[in-house]
Amino acid sequence: MCGIVGYTGNKQAQPIVLESLKKLEYRGYDSSGIATREEKLVICKKEGPIANMESVLPKSDSTLAIAHTRWATHGVPSDVNAHPHSNSENTIAVVHNGTIDNYLDIKENLESEGYKFKSNSDSEVLPALITKHYSGNLVEALNKSLEVIQGIFTIAVIHEDHPDEIVAVRNETPLVIGVGNSENYLASDIYAILKYTQQIIYPLDNQIIRLTSKSIEVFDDSLNKVDYEIEEVEKYTEVSEKGGFEHFMLKEIFEQPKALQDSLTELLIDSPLEKLGLNWKIGSISVVACGTSFHAGLVGKYVIEQLTAIPVSVSYSSEFRYAAPVQGVGGLLSSRPLVVLISQSGETADTLAAARVARQQGCHTIAICNVPGSRITREVDGVILTKSGQEIGVAATKTFLTQMQALYALGIHLGFTSGSIDYPQLKMWESEIRKLPSKLTQVLNNSESIKALAAQFVKSKSVFFVGRNINYPLALEGALKLKEISYIHAEGYPAGELKHGPLALLSEDTPVVAIAVQDHTYSKLISNIEEMSARKTPVITIAQKGDELAKKVSDFCFEIPEIDPVLSPFPIAVFMQLLSYYVAHELGTEIDKPRNLAKSVTVE
Ligand code: F6R
């Protein structure tokens, strides 16, 4: 989604913001732009990849710049709707992430005062409002404009009269300030500026920041100066290479054994629950997330309920926010509800909103997140940080596996502390989890057979994925992966549900991917496969090694290594990811940046 970067310092600003902007490309965008200050402000913006804008970018010696990648919400992707937006005199340039909910009213008022707008973007009201309130002080002008605006936003502004100054603010969307030596940075994503500095300030909502090359001032909404903390963040290993893989997604799929390994230390050390503040009796757990993270949450429900006596519900973040209060809130503090928010990016607006609701309701909150310092990690009571490394491909892969691993670890430790499992069982589970990287490697070593299988899917208009019990969420995830990167319609279903409707859609052209592991649902699943085969539907089954029956009833059977069915979602996820990848590859889609999608979804 939209990205913002800014620089004020003693070097040429344009190459710095351009490089930082390119680090945000992975988030998804449709146009980009840069504003610098020469004698006057110079704005260059273009629809399409950053390279389009770069090809027409005039040379600049400016030491001040703001830049933006846009992901359209109001107004189609176009040069004119791209940011930065300016006022009619071209003295102000503004970049904005988020949405201005009341922009139509503001626009109407300003138009009645004679202001002429150039674009269809909600963001263009910002330079207009700031101009209206400007009388020499940009901080004051922005503050007055904020009184009128409703919505969520990160805003950065520069003005022709202030050759060294960027003024910025955020409300519910990300903004970080990077502190340098005679130079300062801002960005909507820490990855954009970590190459330049690890000294980071995380402003609070509605604080206004004035950055110059030599100073940083933070103001509250009454414009009193307030203190701020500078945090030193971990040095970051830049991910810019595909390491010999054709796409980041494929590289990230192959990185999964390492991602699980690296996350283990965080998860399986002694007393992780105390670290999370969970030293009390948990009455119930609500898991809240979106998309792939939601699917990890569904797997987590099965695991936690199996290992503990704690009931778990799983909600989409966008629904949780408007649902009835979590049960048990206001009850005895000795048995409190716990809300687990899962977000690989830590910036998903729906999940952040849900976190706030949960806290307002008095729930204890923990986040499972892959980005240190991200917004969600700062808004919850405890954090499980997965260590997948940066994920560039828009489709979540390695972060999904480490999220599941985190939930298994949580389940095991809750099971042990609540007395549902004993110490030898705790150790047995930990040891099984430690074996997962090698199980994944076995699936990865078999990727050629999945590639060969992919050819069967490319002509399909629709594909069904079915599973039962703990692998029903994997059917959902298989369908999500396929549709987002290959654009083939796909649906995930509990295998037992097909006969209640969707069976009507099955035909020779509608393959089904069925997950048949040998748990207590196995025989029913085999019957479901037979029902589908009877409709001449090609059935591709994922089964455990040596399962002759599954081979017999299916058109093709992919064997996962021997594994406890409870842990089978891990190798199965790898199969699903590779299948989608190879189908999309055959179809020639933009795998790392699928159309209309963004890596970090910062609007609700
Ligand atoms: C799918 C995918 C999305 C995300 C969802 C939540 O491959 O990546 O469905 O899972 O947008 O994102 P996070 O986990 O960052 O909150």
mmCIF file of all heavy atoms in Angstrom, residues 290-293 342-348 351 394-396 403 477 480-481 484 598-601, ligand 1:
data_model
loop_
_atom_site.group_PDB
_atom_site.id
_atom_site.type_symbol
_atom_site.label_atom_id
_atom_site.label_comp_id
_atom_site.label_asym_id
_atom_site.label_seq_id
_atom_site.Cartn_x
_atom_site.Cartn_y
_atom_site.Cartn_z
ATOM 1 N N CYS A 290 -6.250 -11.281 9.646
ATOM 2 C CA CYS A 290 -6.805 -11.196 8.281
ATOM 3 C C CYS A 290 -6.054 -12.161 7.363
ATOM 4 O O CYS A 290 -4.878 -12.448 7.578
ATOM 5 C CB CYS A 290 -6.567 -9.813 7.679
ATOM 6 S SG CYS A 290 -7.119 -8.464 8.677
ATOM 7 N N GLY A 291 -6.725 -12.582 6.305
ATOM 8 C CA GLY A 291 -6.081 -13.319 5.212
ATOM 9 C C GLY A 291 -5.336 -14.556 5.689
ATOM 10 O O GLY A 291 -5.852 -15.391 6.451
ATOM 11 N N THR A 292 -4.104 -14.680 5.226
ATOM 12 C CA THR A 292 -3.296 -15.845 5.566
ATOM 13 C C THR A 292 -3.066 -15.937 7.080
ATOM 14 O O THR A 292 -3.066 -17.030 7.653
ATOM 15 C CB THR A 292 -1.952 -15.758 4.802
ATOM 16 O OG1 THR A 292 -2.251 -15.940 3.416
ATOM 17 C CG2 THR A 292 -0.966 -16.803 5.234
ATOM 18 N N SER A 293 -2.909 -14.803 7.724
ATOM 19 C CA SER A 293 -2.714 -14.818 9.174
ATOM 20 C C SER A 293 -3.948 -15.390 9.869
ATOM 21 O O SER A 293 -3.850 -16.073 10.902
ATOM 22 C CB SER A 293 -2.446 -13.401 9.704
ATOM 23 O OG SER A 293 -1.303 -12.874 9.101
ATOM 24 N N ILE A 342 -2.771 -11.640 15.116
ATOM 25 C CA ILE A 342 -1.696 -12.141 14.248
ATOM 26 C C ILE A 342 -1.573 -11.219 13.044
ATOM 27 O O ILE A 342 -2.555 -10.974 12.336
ATOM 28 C CB ILE A 342 -1.984 -13.571 13.747
ATOM 29 C CG1 ILE A 342 -2.431 -14.470 14.903
ATOM 30 C CG2 ILE A 342 -0.760 -14.160 13.066
ATOM 31 C CD1 ILE A 342 -2.814 -15.877 14.461
ATOM 32 N N SER A 343 -0.370 -10.716 12.822
ATOM 33 C CA SER A 343 -0.136 -9.877 11.641
ATOM 34 C C SER A 343 1.338 -9.927 11.297
ATOM 35 O O SER A 343 2.161 -9.485 12.101
ATOM 36 C CB SER A 343 -0.555 -8.438 11.922
ATOM 37 O OG SER A 343 -0.188 -7.612 10.851
ATOM 38 N N GLN A 344 1.654 -10.480 10.114
ATOM 39 C CA GLN A 344 3.077 -10.537 9.777
ATOM 40 C C GLN A 344 3.661 -9.140 9.672
ATOM 41 O O GLN A 344 4.764 -8.890 10.121
ATOM 42 C CB GLN A 344 3.334 -11.371 8.508
ATOM 43 C CG GLN A 344 2.669 -10.911 7.209
ATOM 44 C CD GLN A 344 3.375 -9.764 6.492
ATOM 45 O OE1 GLN A 344 4.564 -9.557 6.708
ATOM 46 N NE2 GLN A 344 2.645 -9.025 5.673
ATOM 47 N N SER A 345 2.922 -8.211 9.092
ATOM 48 C CA SER A 345 3.457 -6.861 8.872
ATOM 49 C C SER A 345 3.397 -6.013 10.128
ATOM 50 O O SER A 345 4.187 -5.089 10.305
ATOM 51 C CB SER A 345 2.649 -6.158 7.781
ATOM 52 O OG SER A 345 1.303 -5.981 8.212
ATOM 53 N N GLY A 346 2.425 -6.295 10.961
ATOM 54 C CA GLY A 346 2.220 -5.469 12.155
ATOM 55 C C GLY A 346 1.591 -4.127 11.833
ATOM 56 O O GLY A 346 1.496 -3.249 12.687
ATOM 57 N N GLU A 347 1.154 -3.943 10.587
ATOM 58 C CA GLU A 347 0.626 -2.635 10.188
ATOM 59 C C GLU A 347 -0.783 -2.743 9.604
ATOM 60 O O GLU A 347 -1.314 -1.753 9.104
ATOM 61 C CB GLU A 347 1.533 -1.978 9.120
ATOM 62 C CG GLU A 347 2.987 -1.811 9.512
ATOM 63 C CD GLU A 347 3.212 -0.802 10.628
ATOM 64 O OE1 GLU A 347 2.247 -0.145 11.049
ATOM 65 O OE2 GLU A 347 4.361 -0.693 11.095
ATOM 66 N N THR A 348 -1.381 -3.917 9.609
ATOM 67 C CA THR A 348 -2.694 -4.091 8.989
ATOM 68 C C THR A 348 -3.755 -3.300 9.767
ATOM 69 O O THR A 348 -3.984 -3.554 10.960
ATOM 70 C CB THR A 348 -3.051 -5.589 8.949
ATOM 71 O OG1 THR A 348 -2.037 -6.234 8.190
ATOM 72 C CG2 THR A 348 -4.397 -5.845 8.312
ATOM 73 N N THR A 351 -6.476 -5.128 11.769
ATOM 74 C CA THR A 351 -5.998 -5.841 12.966
ATOM 75 C C THR A 351 -5.601 -4.845 14.058
ATOM 76 O O THR A 351 -5.820 -5.088 15.248
ATOM 77 C CB THR A 351 -4.838 -6.793 12.575
ATOM 78 O OG1 THR A 351 -5.278 -7.584 11.475
ATOM 79 C CG2 THR A 351 -4.440 -7.705 13.717
ATOM 80 N N VAL A 394 4.336 -10.483 -2.153
ATOM 81 C CA VAL A 394 3.077 -10.035 -1.539
ATOM 82 C C VAL A 394 2.356 -11.222 -0.895
ATOM 83 O O VAL A 394 1.787 -11.107 0.190
ATOM 84 C CB VAL A 394 2.201 -9.308 -2.577
ATOM 85 C CG1 VAL A 394 0.763 -9.203 -2.110
ATOM 86 C CG2 VAL A 394 2.757 -7.910 -2.827
ATOM 87 N N ALA A 395 2.398 -12.366 -1.547
ATOM 88 C CA ALA A 395 1.729 -13.540 -0.978
ATOM 89 C C ALA A 395 2.533 -14.056 0.221
ATOM 90 O O ALA A 395 3.717 -14.376 0.092
ATOM 91 C CB ALA A 395 1.605 -14.625 -2.038
ATOM 92 N N ALA A 396 1.880 -14.123 1.353
ATOM 93 C CA ALA A 396 2.578 -14.562 2.571
ATOM 94 C C ALA A 396 2.912 -16.052 2.487
ATOM 95 O O ALA A 396 2.048 -16.862 2.146
ATOM 96 C CB ALA A 396 1.691 -14.295 3.778
ATOM 97 N N GLN A 403 4.083 -18.177 11.893
ATOM 98 C CA GLN A 403 2.908 -17.839 12.726
ATOM 99 C C GLN A 403 2.312 -19.111 13.314
ATOM 100 O O GLN A 403 1.974 -19.181 14.499
ATOM 101 C CB GLN A 403 1.837 -17.139 11.878
ATOM 102 C CG GLN A 403 2.159 -15.712 11.509
ATOM 103 C CD GLN A 403 1.226 -15.168 10.436
ATOM 104 O OE1 GLN A 403 0.473 -15.905 9.797
ATOM 105 N NE2 GLN A 403 1.261 -13.867 10.232
ATOM 106 N N GLU A 477 -6.200 -21.864 2.846
ATOM 107 C CA GLU A 477 -4.947 -21.204 2.483
ATOM 108 C C GLU A 477 -4.506 -21.600 1.070
ATOM 109 O O GLU A 477 -4.018 -20.767 0.308
ATOM 110 C CB GLU A 477 -3.870 -21.544 3.528
ATOM 111 C CG GLU A 477 -2.490 -20.974 3.262
ATOM 112 C CD GLU A 477 -2.427 -19.451 3.173
ATOM 113 O OE1 GLU A 477 -3.414 -18.773 3.465
ATOM 114 O OE2 GLU A 477 -1.371 -18.946 2.768
ATOM 115 N N LEU A 480 -6.588 -19.562 -1.247
ATOM 116 C CA LEU A 480 -6.193 -18.141 -1.229
ATOM 117 C C LEU A 480 -4.906 -17.930 -2.033
ATOM 118 O O LEU A 480 -4.808 -17.015 -2.851
ATOM 119 C CB LEU A 480 -6.005 -17.664 0.219
ATOM 120 C CG LEU A 480 -5.553 -16.204 0.388
ATOM 121 C CD1 LEU A 480 -6.594 -15.232 -0.158
ATOM 122 C CD2 LEU A 480 -5.268 -15.867 1.841
ATOM 123 N N LYS A 481 -3.928 -18.811 -1.814
ATOM 124 C CA LYS A 481 -2.655 -18.655 -2.530
ATOM 125 C C LYS A 481 -2.889 -18.746 -4.030
ATOM 126 O O LYS A 481 -2.363 -17.957 -4.795
ATOM 127 C CB LYS A 481 -1.640 -19.739 -2.126
ATOM 128 C CG LYS A 481 -0.970 -19.581 -0.793
ATOM 129 C CD LYS A 481 0.177 -18.590 -0.773
ATOM 130 C CE LYS A 481 -0.226 -17.265 -0.237
ATOM 131 N NZ LYS A 481 -0.600 -17.087 1.134
ATOM 132 N N GLU A 484 -4.762 -15.606 -5.408
ATOM 133 C CA GLU A 484 -4.081 -14.310 -5.397
ATOM 134 C C GLU A 484 -2.941 -14.223 -6.392
ATOM 135 O O GLU A 484 -2.684 -13.158 -6.927
ATOM 136 C CB GLU A 484 -3.657 -13.873 -3.992
ATOM 137 C CG GLU A 484 -2.597 -14.682 -3.329
ATOM 138 C CD GLU A 484 -2.315 -14.233 -1.900
ATOM 139 O OE1 GLU A 484 -2.466 -13.050 -1.596
ATOM 140 O OE2 GLU A 484 -1.933 -15.095 -1.101
ATOM 141 N N ALA A 598 -1.670 -5.584 -2.019
ATOM 142 C CA ALA A 598 -0.587 -4.863 -1.367
ATOM 143 C C ALA A 598 -0.056 -5.712 -0.222
ATOM 144 O O ALA A 598 -0.785 -6.516 0.354
ATOM 145 C CB ALA A 598 -1.110 -3.545 -0.818
ATOM 146 N N LYS A 599 1.206 -5.541 0.087
ATOM 147 C CA LYS A 599 1.823 -6.347 1.145
ATOM 148 C C LYS A 599 1.339 -5.934 2.523
ATOM 149 O O LYS A 599 1.219 -6.736 3.427
ATOM 150 C CB LYS A 599 3.346 -6.192 1.043
ATOM 151 C CG LYS A 599 4.128 -7.041 2.019
ATOM 152 C CD LYS A 599 4.075 -8.492 1.606
ATOM 153 C CE LYS A 599 4.714 -9.423 2.607
ATOM 154 N NZ LYS A 599 4.182 -10.793 2.452
ATOM 155 N N SER A 600 1.121 -4.645 2.646
ATOM 156 C CA SER A 600 0.770 -4.136 3.961
ATOM 157 C C SER A 600 -0.513 -3.333 3.784
ATOM 158 O O SER A 600 -0.510 -2.332 3.072
ATOM 159 C CB SER A 600 1.938 -3.252 4.392
ATOM 160 O OG SER A 600 1.850 -2.925 5.702
ATOM 161 N N VAL A 601 -1.605 -3.796 4.379
ATOM 162 C CA VAL A 601 -2.904 -3.195 4.055
ATOM 163 C C VAL A 601 -3.283 -2.190 5.142
ATOM 164 O O VAL A 601 -3.859 -2.544 6.165
ATOM 165 C CB VAL A 601 -3.983 -4.287 3.874
ATOM 166 C CG1 VAL A 601 -5.293 -3.677 3.410
ATOM 167 C CG2 VAL A 601 -3.512 -5.314 2.848
HETATM 168 C C1 F6R B 1 -2.078 -13.467 1.546
HETATM 169 C C2 F6R B 1 -1.664 -12.331 2.348
HETATM 170 C C3 F6R B 1 -2.724 -11.542 3.031
HETATM 171 C C4 F6R B 1 -2.257 -11.182 4.443
HETATM 172 C C5 F6R B 1 -3.277 -10.235 5.100
HETATM 173 C C6 F6R B 1 -2.873 -9.911 6.524
HETATM 174 O O1 F6R B 1 -0.986 -14.121 0.976
HETATM 175 O O2 F6R B 1 -0.506 -12.023 2.446
HETATM 176 O O3 F6R B 1 -3.929 -12.226 3.066
HETATM 177 O O4 F6R B 1 -2.128 -12.349 5.163
HETATM 178 O O5 F6R B 1 -3.353 -9.059 4.358
HETATM 179 O O6 F6R B 1 -1.635 -9.299 6.566
HETATM 180 P P1 F6R B 1 -0.819 -9.211 7.905
HETATM 181 O O7 F6R B 1 -0.432 -10.576 8.300
HETATM 182 O O8 F6R B 1 0.374 -8.356 7.559
HETATM 183 O O9 F6R B 1 -1.704 -8.562 8.906
#
